[in-house]
Amino acid sequence: MAQPQPYESALDAIPGAHPYPRSSRYHDAEIGIHTQPDGTPVRYVKRRLLPPISEADEDTATHTVRSGERPDHLGQRYFGDPAAWWRIADANPVLDPRELTAEPGEEIAIPDGYAGGGGGGRHG
């Protein structure tokens, strides 16, 4: 009986195909191939380096964290996709996305490109 092919091999036949959806933080990450000693190729996502976090300027939107908010709530509110929380996490100095909403009243940066806005300003 033939073994099913991995998901990635189906994408190999499509030029420019990527194993992550456009909304994923890994969509633009480079895919590498490691060859095991037995010759088996293994695909992996190369490191995704973040740009340095700069000081907020007048073009950067901010959000005041409210009690009970979660990162996925912010992703939905600003990007129309709860899975887009990572865009906000990338714009703030956090290691764990839960740190974004851990302190009600804290101001966090909202990167450009959110739905309904094209630039900065304060948002509540």
Side-chain angles (χ1 to χ4, degrees), residues 29-95:
E30 186 177 350
I31 302 295
I33 298 176
H34 168 76
T35 304
Q36 294 182 337
D38 68 357
T40 304
V42 178
R43 292 170 55 127
Y44 66 95
V45 177
K46 291 188 176 185
R47 273 194 299 186
R48 184 179 75 92
L49 301 176
L50 299 176
I53 295 175
S54 60
E55 291 296 318
D57 59 29
E58 59 194 48
D59 291 334
T60 300
T62 60
H63 173 82
T64 303
V65 175
R66 295 182 186 132
S67 180
E69 282 185 314
R70 299 188 320 242
D72 59 320
H73 295 160
L74 300 178
Q76 178 64 42
R77 178 175 181 176
Y78 291 104
F79 297 100
D81 179 1
W85 59 264
W86 64 268
R87 295 179 67 186
I88 300 167
D90 283 0
N92 291 276
V94 297
L95 293 176

